[in-house]
């Protein structure tokens, strides 16, 4: 199975930061040096993204926007299931 993890951080029930880590499932504790993709949101809109290599991602790129929409949908599903 996949070892990928997704961490969602919220402010007023809206995602503000999402961290995707390819091998996060192997870690027991938080690793401050973990490498992964980072997505930043404000008012439900993607405002910045950073690749696992530490370089900024073009937020107007179709692939980046598609991933941001996927993450927002996953976030909504997760919050609905957690209620």
């Amino acid at each position: 199975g996949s070892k990928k993890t997704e961490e969602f951080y919220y402010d007023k029930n809206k995602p503000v930061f999402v961290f995707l880590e390819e091998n996060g499932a192997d870690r027991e504790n938080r690793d401050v040096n973990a490498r992964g993709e980072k997505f930043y949101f404000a008012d439900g809109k993607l405002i910045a993204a950073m690749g696992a290599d530490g370089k900024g991602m073009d937020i107007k790129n179709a692939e980046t926007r598609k991933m941001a929409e996927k993450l927002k949908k996953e976030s909504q599903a997760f919050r609905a299931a957690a209620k």
Side-chain angles (χ1 to χ4, degrees):
S2 174
K3 295 185 178 204
K4 183 177 184 177
T5 59
E6 300 175 347
E7 296 177 16
F8 291 84
Y9 295 82
Y10 296 89
D11 182 39
K12 297 180 181 133
N13 296 321
K14 290 185 179 178
V16 292
F17 176 70
V18 180
F19 181 65
L20 305 179
E21 188 178 5
E22 284 301 319
N23 295 308
D26 287 338
R27 303 189 196 287
E28 283 188 31
N29 299 313
R30 178 155 167 69
D31 180 357
V32 295
N33 298 315
R35 296 172 55 94
E37 293 181 338
K38 300 171 183 171
F39 295 84
Y40 300 86
F41 297 89
D43 295 320
K45 295 183 179 138
L46 181 68
I47 58 168
M50 187 176 296
D53 58 4
K55 295 181 181 177
M57 297 167 67
D58 180 2
I59 63 170
K60 294 180 181 177
N61 175 285
E63 193 80 15
T64 305
R65 286 197 327 257
K66 184 178 176 181
M67 177 57 82
E69 287 304 312
K70 176 181 179 280
L71 292 171
K72 286 195 304 185
K73 286 179 184 174
E74 287 179 9
S75 172
Q76 290 171 347
F78 172 76
R79 294 203 45 89
K83 287 184 179 181

